[in-house]
mmCIF file of all heavy atoms in Angstrom:
data_model
loop_
_atom_site.group_PDB
_atom_site.id
_atom_site.type_symbol
_atom_site.label_atom_id
_atom_site.label_comp_id
_atom_site.label_asym_id
_atom_site.label_seq_id
_atom_site.Cartn_x
_atom_site.Cartn_y
_atom_site.Cartn_z
ATOM 1 N N LYS A 1 7.635 -10.700 2.927
ATOM 2 C CA LYS A 1 8.614 -9.780 2.346
ATOM 3 C C LYS A 1 9.472 -10.516 1.337
ATOM 4 O O LYS A 1 9.592 -11.741 1.355
ATOM 5 C CB LYS A 1 9.493 -9.158 3.433
ATOM 6 C CG LYS A 1 10.442 -10.124 4.119
ATOM 7 C CD LYS A 1 11.396 -9.373 5.052
ATOM 8 C CE LYS A 1 12.474 -10.297 5.613
ATOM 9 N NZ LYS A 1 12.061 -11.072 6.751
ATOM 10 N N ILE A 2 10.081 -9.736 0.462
ATOM 11 C CA ILE A 2 11.035 -10.269 -0.519
ATOM 12 C C ILE A 2 12.346 -9.530 -0.321
ATOM 13 O O ILE A 2 12.398 -8.298 -0.469
ATOM 14 C CB ILE A 2 10.532 -10.081 -1.965
ATOM 15 C CG1 ILE A 2 9.130 -10.683 -2.133
ATOM 16 C CG2 ILE A 2 11.501 -10.719 -2.957
ATOM 17 C CD1 ILE A 2 8.514 -10.442 -3.507
ATOM 18 N N ASP A 3 13.381 -10.265 0.054
ATOM 19 C CA ASP A 3 14.691 -9.647 0.259
ATOM 20 C C ASP A 3 15.804 -10.454 -0.405
ATOM 21 O O ASP A 3 16.950 -10.422 0.028
ATOM 22 C CB ASP A 3 14.986 -9.443 1.748
ATOM 23 C CG ASP A 3 14.886 -10.733 2.555
ATOM 24 O OD1 ASP A 3 14.759 -11.827 1.942
ATOM 25 O OD2 ASP A 3 14.934 -10.659 3.796
ATOM 26 N N ARG A 4 15.435 -11.181 -1.481
ATOM 27 C CA ARG A 4 16.412 -11.878 -2.318
ATOM 28 C C ARG A 4 16.022 -11.609 -3.760
ATOM 29 O O ARG A 4 14.902 -11.922 -4.176
ATOM 30 C CB ARG A 4 16.442 -13.382 -2.042
ATOM 31 C CG ARG A 4 16.871 -13.733 -0.625
ATOM 32 C CD ARG A 4 16.705 -15.223 -0.316
ATOM 33 N NE ARG A 4 17.754 -16.022 -0.901
ATOM 34 C CZ ARG A 4 17.609 -16.855 -1.921
ATOM 35 N NH1 ARG A 4 16.433 -16.973 -2.533
ATOM 36 N NH2 ARG A 4 18.620 -17.570 -2.374
ATOM 37 N N PHE A 5 16.940 -11.012 -4.506
ATOM 38 C CA PHE A 5 16.658 -10.602 -5.877
ATOM 39 C C PHE A 5 17.761 -11.103 -6.798
ATOM 40 O O PHE A 5 18.923 -11.213 -6.392
ATOM 41 C CB PHE A 5 16.536 -9.078 -5.957
ATOM 42 C CG PHE A 5 15.511 -8.515 -5.013
ATOM 43 C CD1 PHE A 5 15.880 -8.044 -3.757
ATOM 44 C CD2 PHE A 5 14.171 -8.466 -5.373
ATOM 45 C CE1 PHE A 5 14.938 -7.534 -2.876
ATOM 46 C CE2 PHE A 5 13.222 -7.965 -4.507
ATOM 47 C CZ PHE A 5 13.597 -7.501 -3.250
ATOM 48 N N ILE A 6 17.405 -11.349 -8.036
ATOM 49 C CA ILE A 6 18.321 -11.989 -8.979
ATOM 50 C C ILE A 6 19.533 -11.118 -9.268
ATOM 51 O O ILE A 6 19.419 -9.918 -9.527
ATOM 52 C CB ILE A 6 17.584 -12.317 -10.289
ATOM 53 C CG1 ILE A 6 16.621 -13.482 -10.065
ATOM 54 C CG2 ILE A 6 18.550 -12.644 -11.427
ATOM 55 C CD1 ILE A 6 15.678 -13.722 -11.207
ATOM 56 N N ASN A 7 20.695 -11.745 -9.216
ATOM 57 C CA ASN A 7 21.947 -11.164 -9.687
ATOM 58 C C ASN A 7 22.672 -12.268 -10.455
ATOM 59 O O ASN A 7 23.237 -13.175 -9.842
ATOM 60 C CB ASN A 7 22.803 -10.666 -8.520
ATOM 61 C CG ASN A 7 24.108 -10.015 -8.983
ATOM 62 O OD1 ASN A 7 24.708 -10.428 -9.973
ATOM 63 N ND2 ASN A 7 24.544 -8.997 -8.272
ATOM 64 N N PRO A 8 22.640 -12.228 -11.794
ATOM 65 C CA PRO A 8 23.216 -13.324 -12.583
ATOM 66 C C PRO A 8 24.691 -13.590 -12.280
ATOM 67 O O PRO A 8 25.162 -14.716 -12.432
ATOM 68 C CB PRO A 8 23.026 -12.854 -14.032
ATOM 69 C CG PRO A 8 21.890 -11.897 -13.979
ATOM 70 C CD PRO A 8 22.021 -11.203 -12.651
ATOM 71 N N GLN A 9 25.428 -12.565 -11.861
ATOM 72 C CA GLN A 9 26.848 -12.745 -11.595
ATOM 73 C C GLN A 9 27.118 -13.292 -10.190
ATOM 74 O O GLN A 9 28.048 -14.065 -9.985
ATOM 75 C CB GLN A 9 27.610 -11.415 -11.761
ATOM 76 C CG GLN A 9 27.806 -10.979 -13.202
ATOM 77 C CD GLN A 9 26.526 -10.486 -13.852
ATOM 78 O OE1 GLN A 9 25.751 -9.756 -13.250
ATOM 79 N NE2 GLN A 9 26.294 -10.897 -15.093
ATOM 80 N N GLN A 10 26.296 -12.895 -9.211
ATOM 81 C CA GLN A 10 26.566 -13.255 -7.823
ATOM 82 C C GLN A 10 25.464 -14.088 -7.192
ATOM 83 O O GLN A 10 25.431 -14.249 -5.972
ATOM 84 C CB GLN A 10 26.777 -11.978 -6.999
ATOM 85 C CG GLN A 10 27.921 -11.114 -7.513
ATOM 86 C CD GLN A 10 28.025 -9.794 -6.764
ATOM 87 O OE1 GLN A 10 27.398 -9.609 -5.725
ATOM 88 N NE2 GLN A 10 28.811 -8.878 -7.286
ATOM 89 N N GLY A 11 24.565 -14.629 -7.975
ATOM 90 C CA GLY A 11 23.489 -15.443 -7.431
ATOM 91 C C GLY A 11 22.278 -14.608 -7.073
ATOM 92 O O GLY A 11 21.235 -14.715 -7.701
ATOM 93 N N TYR A 12 22.423 -13.763 -6.038
ATOM 94 C CA TYR A 12 21.300 -12.891 -5.685
ATOM 95 C C TYR A 12 21.808 -11.705 -4.889
ATOM 96 O O TYR A 12 22.883 -11.721 -4.297
ATOM 97 C CB TYR A 12 20.233 -13.651 -4.892
ATOM 98 C CG TYR A 12 20.636 -14.049 -3.489
ATOM 99 C CD1 TYR A 12 20.370 -13.208 -2.406
ATOM 100 C CD2 TYR A 12 21.264 -15.259 -3.242
ATOM 101 C CE1 TYR A 12 20.725 -13.566 -1.113
ATOM 102 C CE2 TYR A 12 21.632 -15.634 -1.949
ATOM 103 C CZ TYR A 12 21.352 -14.780 -0.895
ATOM 104 O OH TYR A 12 21.721 -15.132 0.381
ATOM 105 N N ASN A 13 21.007 -10.630 -4.917
ATOM 106 C CA ASN A 13 21.240 -9.447 -4.100
ATOM 107 C C ASN A 13 20.191 -9.398 -3.002
ATOM 108 O O ASN A 13 19.100 -9.962 -3.137
ATOM 109 C CB ASN A 13 21.133 -8.162 -4.942
ATOM 110 C CG ASN A 13 22.276 -8.029 -5.936
ATOM 111 O OD1 ASN A 13 23.373 -8.530 -5.700
ATOM 112 N ND2 ASN A 13 22.010 -7.368 -7.052
ATOM 113 N N LYS A 14 20.487 -8.686 -1.934
ATOM 114 C CA LYS A 14 19.544 -8.552 -0.829
ATOM 115 C C LYS A 14 18.651 -7.329 -0.981
ATOM 116 O O LYS A 14 17.713 -7.152 -0.191
ATOM 117 C CB LYS A 14 20.294 -8.499 0.497
ATOM 118 C CG LYS A 14 21.003 -9.814 0.837
ATOM 119 C CD LYS A 14 21.668 -9.757 2.199
ATOM 120 C CE LYS A 14 22.312 -11.097 2.534
ATOM 121 N NZ LYS A 14 22.957 -11.081 3.877
ATOM 122 N N THR A 15 18.931 -6.499 -1.958
ATOM 123 C CA THR A 15 18.079 -5.337 -2.222
ATOM 124 C C THR A 15 17.829 -5.228 -3.718
ATOM 125 O O THR A 15 18.571 -5.782 -4.533
ATOM 126 C CB THR A 15 18.715 -4.027 -1.716
ATOM 127 O OG1 THR A 15 19.981 -3.832 -2.360
ATOM 128 C CG2 THR A 15 18.909 -4.065 -0.204
ATOM 129 N N LEU A 16 16.775 -4.482 -4.062
ATOM 130 C CA LEU A 16 16.396 -4.273 -5.460
ATOM 131 C C LEU A 16 16.482 -2.794 -5.778
ATOM 132 O O LEU A 16 15.914 -1.971 -5.060
ATOM 133 C CB LEU A 16 14.963 -4.760 -5.677
ATOM 134 C CG LEU A 16 14.385 -4.611 -7.092
ATOM 135 C CD1 LEU A 16 15.079 -5.554 -8.057
ATOM 136 C CD2 LEU A 16 12.873 -4.886 -7.074
ATOM 137 N N PRO A 17 17.190 -2.412 -6.843
ATOM 138 C CA PRO A 17 17.229 -0.989 -7.231
ATOM 139 C C PRO A 17 15.867 -0.548 -7.750
ATOM 140 O O PRO A 17 15.299 -1.166 -8.654
ATOM 141 C CB PRO A 17 18.288 -0.948 -8.347
ATOM 142 C CG PRO A 17 19.028 -2.243 -8.267
ATOM 143 C CD PRO A 17 18.063 -3.234 -7.708
ATOM 144 N N LEU A 18 15.335 0.524 -7.172
ATOM 145 C CA LEU A 18 14.034 1.057 -7.579
ATOM 146 C C LEU A 18 14.102 2.574 -7.670
ATOM 147 O O LEU A 18 15.057 3.190 -7.203
ATOM 148 C CB LEU A 18 12.948 0.644 -6.587
ATOM 149 C CG LEU A 18 12.612 -0.848 -6.510
ATOM 150 C CD1 LEU A 18 11.614 -1.118 -5.411
ATOM 151 C CD2 LEU A 18 12.094 -1.363 -7.844
ATOM 152 N N HIS A 19 13.071 3.159 -8.266
ATOM 153 C CA HIS A 19 13.010 4.606 -8.423
ATOM 154 C C HIS A 19 12.298 5.241 -7.230
ATOM 155 O O HIS A 19 11.431 4.615 -6.615
ATOM 156 C CB HIS A 19 12.248 4.974 -9.701
ATOM 157 C CG HIS A 19 12.839 4.377 -10.944
ATOM 158 N ND1 HIS A 19 12.440 3.153 -11.445
ATOM 159 C CD2 HIS A 19 13.807 4.833 -11.779
ATOM 160 C CE1 HIS A 19 13.133 2.884 -12.544
ATOM 161 N NE2 HIS A 19 13.965 3.879 -12.767
ATOM 162 N N PRO A 20 12.625 6.485 -6.925
ATOM 163 C CA PRO A 20 11.828 7.211 -5.931
ATOM 164 C C PRO A 20 10.406 7.369 -6.454
ATOM 165 O O PRO A 20 10.173 7.463 -7.654
ATOM 166 C CB PRO A 20 12.526 8.569 -5.807
ATOM 167 C CG PRO A 20 13.873 8.390 -6.449
ATOM 168 C CD PRO A 20 13.721 7.322 -7.479
ATOM 169 N N MET A 21 9.459 7.410 -5.552
ATOM 170 C CA MET A 21 8.070 7.628 -5.953
ATOM 171 C C MET A 21 7.890 9.072 -6.406
ATOM 172 O O MET A 21 8.475 9.990 -5.825
ATOM 173 C CB MET A 21 7.135 7.330 -4.792
ATOM 174 C CG MET A 21 7.100 5.867 -4.395
ATOM 175 S SD MET A 21 6.019 4.873 -5.442
ATOM 176 C CE MET A 21 4.413 5.300 -4.769
ATOM 177 N N SER A 22 7.087 9.263 -7.435
ATOM 178 C CA SER A 22 6.754 10.604 -7.909
ATOM 179 C C SER A 22 5.377 10.987 -7.389
ATOM 180 O O SER A 22 4.444 10.174 -7.435
ATOM 181 C CB SER A 22 6.761 10.652 -9.445
ATOM 182 O OG SER A 22 8.060 10.390 -9.943
ATOM 183 N N GLU A 23 5.259 12.197 -6.903
ATOM 184 C CA GLU A 23 4.013 12.667 -6.310
ATOM 185 C C GLU A 23 2.862 12.548 -7.303
ATOM 186 O O GLU A 23 2.938 13.011 -8.441
ATOM 187 C CB GLU A 23 4.166 14.130 -5.883
ATOM 188 C CG GLU A 23 2.968 14.689 -5.136
ATOM 189 C CD GLU A 23 2.800 14.082 -3.760
ATOM 190 O OE1 GLU A 23 3.823 13.662 -3.164
ATOM 191 O OE2 GLU A 23 1.648 14.020 -3.288
ATOM 192 N N GLY A 24 1.793 11.879 -6.864
ATOM 193 C CA GLY A 24 0.589 11.780 -7.673
ATOM 194 C C GLY A 24 0.653 10.756 -8.791
ATOM 195 O O GLY A 24 -0.273 10.672 -9.599
ATOM 196 N N GLU A 25 1.742 9.958 -8.867
ATOM 197 C CA GLU A 25 1.879 8.968 -9.930
ATOM 198 C C GLU A 25 2.003 7.572 -9.330
ATOM 199 O O GLU A 25 2.666 7.379 -8.309
ATOM 200 C CB GLU A 25 3.110 9.257 -10.796
ATOM 201 C CG GLU A 25 3.023 10.539 -11.595
ATOM 202 C CD GLU A 25 4.251 10.738 -12.473
ATOM 203 O OE1 GLU A 25 5.061 9.790 -12.579
ATOM 204 O OE2 GLU A 25 4.407 11.836 -13.025
ATOM 205 N N GLU A 26 1.371 6.598 -9.979
ATOM 206 C CA GLU A 26 1.512 5.209 -9.553
ATOM 207 C C GLU A 26 2.880 4.676 -9.977
ATOM 208 O O GLU A 26 3.441 5.106 -10.998
ATOM 209 C CB GLU A 26 0.410 4.347 -10.174
ATOM 210 C CG GLU A 26 -0.987 4.668 -9.678
ATOM 211 C CD GLU A 26 -1.277 4.025 -8.331
ATOM 212 O OE1 GLU A 26 -0.330 3.562 -7.663
ATOM 213 O OE2 GLU A 26 -2.456 4.015 -7.942
ATOM 214 N N TYR A 27 3.390 3.746 -9.202
ATOM 215 C CA TYR A 27 4.654 3.083 -9.537
ATOM 216 C C TYR A 27 4.369 1.591 -9.594
ATOM 217 O O TYR A 27 3.907 0.992 -8.620
ATOM 218 C CB TYR A 27 5.707 3.399 -8.474
ATOM 219 C CG TYR A 27 7.110 2.933 -8.814
ATOM 220 C CD1 TYR A 27 7.698 3.253 -10.033
ATOM 221 C CD2 TYR A 27 7.855 2.192 -7.892
ATOM 222 C CE1 TYR A 27 8.993 2.849 -10.328
ATOM 223 C CE2 TYR A 27 9.149 1.792 -8.177
ATOM 224 C CZ TYR A 27 9.709 2.122 -9.403
ATOM 225 O OH TYR A 27 11.005 1.718 -9.699
ATOM 226 N N TYR A 28 4.625 0.976 -10.760
ATOM 227 C CA TYR A 28 4.238 -0.405 -11.009
ATOM 228 C C TYR A 28 5.465 -1.307 -11.114
ATOM 229 O O TYR A 28 6.449 -0.978 -11.786
ATOM 230 C CB TYR A 28 3.441 -0.520 -12.304
ATOM 231 C CG TYR A 28 2.110 0.199 -12.282
ATOM 232 C CD1 TYR A 28 1.962 1.443 -12.896
ATOM 233 C CD2 TYR A 28 1.011 -0.368 -11.650
ATOM 234 C CE1 TYR A 28 0.731 2.097 -12.885
ATOM 235 C CE2 TYR A 28 -0.220 0.286 -11.636
ATOM 236 C CZ TYR A 28 -0.343 1.516 -12.249
ATOM 237 O OH TYR A 28 -1.548 2.164 -12.234
ATOM 238 N N LEU A 29 5.370 -2.462 -10.481
ATOM 239 C CA LEU A 29 6.396 -3.494 -10.597
ATOM 240 C C LEU A 29 5.788 -4.739 -11.219
ATOM 241 O O LEU A 29 4.577 -4.974 -11.123
ATOM 242 C CB LEU A 29 6.979 -3.852 -9.225
ATOM 243 C CG LEU A 29 7.642 -2.761 -8.391
ATOM 244 C CD1 LEU A 29 8.326 -3.373 -7.171
ATOM 245 C CD2 LEU A 29 8.641 -1.949 -9.199
ATOM 246 N N GLY A 30 6.650 -5.540 -11.845
ATOM 247 C CA GLY A 30 6.228 -6.818 -12.394
ATOM 248 C C GLY A 30 7.091 -7.933 -11.843
ATOM 249 O O GLY A 30 8.303 -7.772 -11.691
ATOM 250 N N VAL A 31 6.466 -9.043 -11.522
ATOM 251 C CA VAL A 31 7.184 -10.272 -11.157
ATOM 252 C C VAL A 31 6.960 -11.240 -12.310
ATOM 253 O O VAL A 31 5.821 -11.614 -12.609
ATOM 254 C CB VAL A 31 6.675 -10.871 -9.841
ATOM 255 C CG1 VAL A 31 7.560 -12.048 -9.425
ATOM 256 C CG2 VAL A 31 6.646 -9.821 -8.735
ATOM 257 N N PHE A 32 8.042 -11.637 -12.960
ATOM 258 C CA PHE A 32 7.961 -12.395 -14.204
ATOM 259 C C PHE A 32 8.192 -13.894 -13.963
ATOM 260 O O PHE A 32 8.688 -14.304 -12.922
ATOM 261 C CB PHE A 32 8.973 -11.849 -15.208
ATOM 262 C CG PHE A 32 8.693 -10.424 -15.639
ATOM 263 C CD1 PHE A 32 9.056 -9.355 -14.833
ATOM 264 C CD2 PHE A 32 8.032 -10.167 -16.823
ATOM 265 C CE1 PHE A 32 8.794 -8.045 -15.213
ATOM 266 C CE2 PHE A 32 7.754 -8.861 -17.218
ATOM 267 C CZ PHE A 32 8.134 -7.803 -16.411
ATOM 268 N N LEU A 33 7.809 -14.683 -14.968
ATOM 269 C CA LEU A 33 8.001 -16.146 -14.974
ATOM 270 C C LEU A 33 7.221 -16.827 -13.854
ATOM 271 O O LEU A 33 7.677 -17.811 -13.257
ATOM 272 C CB LEU A 33 9.492 -16.520 -14.871
ATOM 273 C CG LEU A 33 10.481 -15.799 -15.785
ATOM 274 C CD1 LEU A 33 11.852 -16.465 -15.720
ATOM 275 C CD2 LEU A 33 9.988 -15.748 -17.214
ATOM 276 N N VAL A 34 6.022 -16.342 -13.560
ATOM 277 C CA VAL A 34 5.248 -16.880 -12.441
ATOM 278 C C VAL A 34 4.117 -17.807 -12.893
ATOM 279 O O VAL A 34 3.219 -18.125 -12.108
ATOM 280 C CB VAL A 34 4.674 -15.745 -11.568
ATOM 281 C CG1 VAL A 34 5.783 -14.914 -10.973
ATOM 282 C CG2 VAL A 34 3.698 -14.864 -12.358
ATOM 283 N N GLY A 35 4.164 -18.270 -14.142
ATOM 284 C CA GLY A 35 3.059 -19.082 -14.654
ATOM 285 C C GLY A 35 2.978 -20.482 -14.100
ATOM 286 O O GLY A 35 1.942 -21.137 -14.213
ATOM 287 N N ALA A 36 4.068 -20.981 -13.485
ATOM 288 C CA ALA A 36 4.093 -22.363 -13.002
ATOM 289 C C ALA A 36 3.902 -22.415 -11.494
ATOM 290 O O ALA A 36 4.664 -21.794 -10.745
ATOM 291 C CB ALA A 36 5.421 -23.027 -13.381
ATOM 292 N N TYR A 37 2.886 -23.125 -11.072
ATOM 293 C CA TYR A 37 2.614 -23.472 -9.670
ATOM 294 C C TYR A 37 2.082 -22.337 -8.801
ATOM 295 O O TYR A 37 1.357 -22.593 -7.842
ATOM 296 C CB TYR A 37 3.862 -24.066 -9.000
ATOM 297 C CG TYR A 37 4.292 -25.384 -9.577
ATOM 298 C CD1 TYR A 37 5.415 -25.473 -10.401
ATOM 299 C CD2 TYR A 37 3.556 -26.541 -9.336
ATOM 300 C CE1 TYR A 37 5.805 -26.687 -10.957
ATOM 301 C CE2 TYR A 37 3.943 -27.753 -9.888
ATOM 302 C CZ TYR A 37 5.060 -27.819 -10.696
ATOM 303 O OH TYR A 37 5.438 -29.019 -11.248
ATOM 304 N N GLN A 38 2.423 -21.062 -9.054
ATOM 305 C CA GLN A 38 2.109 -20.019 -8.085
ATOM 306 C C GLN A 38 0.611 -19.862 -7.837
ATOM 307 O O GLN A 38 0.174 -19.739 -6.689
ATOM 308 C CB GLN A 38 2.729 -18.689 -8.518
ATOM 309 C CG GLN A 38 4.247 -18.734 -8.686
ATOM 310 C CD GLN A 38 4.933 -19.496 -7.569
ATOM 311 O OE1 GLN A 38 4.964 -19.042 -6.436
ATOM 312 N NE2 GLN A 38 5.495 -20.659 -7.878
ATOM 313 N N GLU A 39 -0.188 -19.870 -8.892
ATOM 314 C CA GLU A 39 -1.630 -19.709 -8.699
ATOM 315 C C GLU A 39 -2.233 -20.917 -7.988
ATOM 316 O O GLU A 39 -3.157 -20.791 -7.186
ATOM 317 C CB GLU A 39 -2.317 -19.504 -10.043
ATOM 318 C CG GLU A 39 -1.972 -18.191 -10.713
ATOM 319 C CD GLU A 39 -2.672 -18.051 -12.050
ATOM 320 O OE1 GLU A 39 -3.882 -17.764 -12.044
ATOM 321 O OE2 GLU A 39 -2.022 -18.230 -13.085
ATOM 322 N N THR A 40 -1.680 -22.091 -8.269
ATOM 323 C CA THR A 40 -2.206 -23.312 -7.685
ATOM 324 C C THR A 40 -1.856 -23.427 -6.207
ATOM 325 O O THR A 40 -2.669 -23.862 -5.393
ATOM 326 C CB THR A 40 -1.644 -24.529 -8.438
ATOM 327 O OG1 THR A 40 -2.072 -24.461 -9.798
ATOM 328 C CG2 THR A 40 -2.129 -25.821 -7.828
ATOM 329 N N LEU A 41 -0.643 -22.998 -5.833
ATOM 330 C CA LEU A 41 -0.172 -23.171 -4.465
ATOM 331 C C LEU A 41 -0.622 -22.058 -3.529
ATOM 332 O O LEU A 41 -0.507 -22.185 -2.314
ATOM 333 C CB LEU A 41 1.363 -23.239 -4.452
ATOM 334 C CG LEU A 41 2.010 -24.425 -5.163
ATOM 335 C CD1 LEU A 41 3.517 -24.287 -5.130
ATOM 336 C CD2 LEU A 41 1.578 -25.734 -4.528
ATOM 337 N N GLY A 42 -1.087 -20.933 -4.081
ATOM 338 C CA GLY A 42 -1.412 -19.779 -3.250
ATOM 339 C C GLY A 42 -2.458 -20.095 -2.180
ATOM 340 O O GLY A 42 -3.373 -20.887 -2.393
ATOM 341 N N ASP A 43 -2.295 -19.470 -0.995
ATOM 342 C CA ASP A 43 -3.237 -19.710 0.087
ATOM 343 C C ASP A 43 -4.004 -18.433 0.438
ATOM 344 O O ASP A 43 -3.894 -17.416 -0.239
ATOM 345 C CB ASP A 43 -2.538 -20.291 1.320
ATOM 346 C CG ASP A 43 -1.656 -19.278 2.036
ATOM 347 O OD1 ASP A 43 -1.682 -18.089 1.673
ATOM 348 O OD2 ASP A 43 -0.947 -19.683 2.976
ATOM 349 N N LEU A 44 -4.775 -18.492 1.507
ATOM 350 C CA LEU A 44 -5.642 -17.381 1.888
ATOM 351 C C LEU A 44 -5.121 -16.659 3.118
ATOM 352 O O LEU A 44 -5.901 -16.243 3.981
ATOM 353 C CB LEU A 44 -7.065 -17.901 2.147
ATOM 354 C CG LEU A 44 -7.843 -18.378 0.925
ATOM 355 C CD1 LEU A 44 -9.158 -19.013 1.344
ATOM 356 C CD2 LEU A 44 -8.094 -17.234 -0.039
ATOM 357 N N HIS A 45 -3.802 -16.498 3.216
ATOM 358 C CA HIS A 45 -3.221 -15.782 4.344
ATOM 359 C C HIS A 45 -3.875 -14.406 4.464
ATOM 360 O O HIS A 45 -3.961 -13.657 3.504
ATOM 361 C CB HIS A 45 -1.717 -15.637 4.097
ATOM 362 C CG HIS A 45 -0.942 -15.196 5.295
ATOM 363 N ND1 HIS A 45 -0.934 -13.910 5.733
ATOM 364 C CD2 HIS A 45 -0.138 -15.894 6.137
ATOM 365 C CE1 HIS A 45 -0.156 -13.808 6.789
ATOM 366 N NE2 HIS A 45 0.339 -14.997 7.068
ATOM 367 N N ASN A 46 -4.333 -14.077 5.694
ATOM 368 C CA ASN A 46 -5.067 -12.829 5.936
ATOM 369 C C ASN A 46 -6.322 -12.709 5.075
ATOM 370 O O ASN A 46 -6.869 -11.620 4.901
ATOM 371 C CB ASN A 46 -4.190 -11.598 5.699
ATOM 372 C CG ASN A 46 -3.269 -11.313 6.868
ATOM 373 O OD1 ASN A 46 -2.134 -10.935 6.678
ATOM 374 N ND2 ASN A 46 -3.743 -11.476 8.091
ATOM 375 N N LEU A 47 -6.767 -13.838 4.518
ATOM 376 C CA LEU A 47 -7.951 -13.860 3.654
ATOM 377 C C LEU A 47 -7.819 -12.948 2.441
ATOM 378 O O LEU A 47 -8.793 -12.361 1.973
ATOM 379 C CB LEU A 47 -9.218 -13.524 4.447
ATOM 380 C CG LEU A 47 -9.582 -14.522 5.556
ATOM 381 C CD1 LEU A 47 -10.921 -14.169 6.186
ATOM 382 C CD2 LEU A 47 -9.608 -15.959 5.034
#
């Protein structure tokens, strides 16, 4: 789970503001600045 989100003024928030889901529509999120280390360190948790 992710329960720490960026807040430039207060360090971080424990929740992320998101939109309600719309019926029949996909809702997409992006995690940015992940080009360093993440692909290399990733494991096979739950395969």
Side-chain angles (χ1 to χ4, degrees):
K1 68 173 187 278
I2 306 175
D3 56 9
R4 297 172 77 251
F5 305 95
I6 288 170
N7 182 325
Q9 286 72 43
Q10 301 175 12
Y12 70 91
N13 291 331
K14 293 183 178 181
T15 59
L16 180 69
L18 294 175
H19 302 91
M21 293 279 282
S22 296
E23 185 69 28
E25 294 182 9
E26 293 279 14
Y27 188 51
Y28 295 101
L29 301 188
V31 187
F32 296 80
L33 312 190
V34 299
Y37 295 106
Q38 302 317 291
E39 292 179 76
T40 298
L41 295 176
D43 71 7
L44 290 173
H45 193 283
N46 281 141
L47 297 186

